Amino acid sequence: MIQALTLRELVEALRASAGVDDGVELDGEILDVPFEDLGYDSLALFETVGSIERRLGVSMPDETVAEARTPRILLEMINGRASTLRALSLIHI
């Protein structure tokens, strides 16, 4: 079953996929900090989202990176998609 992604897991995915810029603190309150301010551009986010998709077994729309300007928004989008897939897997036709 697809589980919800946590902020800690998102940070781990960001670090693994795109690294961390010097002077950027990802362990604090970053939910509403724009990815740009955290040192992540769209390419880094595409790589991160791709790794999360493979890990969770979900497919996110291409617009995800453009629309997810902060970790909170990205988590909401990913977890919303995962929740929908969980609900669909419970429906037996």
Side-chain angles (χ1 to χ4, degrees), residues 11-54:
V11 168
E12 289 171 3
L14 285 165
R15 286 180 172 146
S17 297
V20 179
D21 285 347
D22 289 338
V24 174
E25 180 59 47
L26 295 179
D27 295 322
E29 293 294 321
I30 65 164
L31 274 174
D32 297 310
V33 178
F35 281 114
E36 185 176 287
D37 293 351
L38 296 172
Y40 295 102
D41 61 12
S42 59
L43 179 59
L45 289 178
F46 271 113
E47 291 178 22
T48 301
V49 169
S51 72
I52 291 168
E53 286 176 319
R54 289 185 296 279

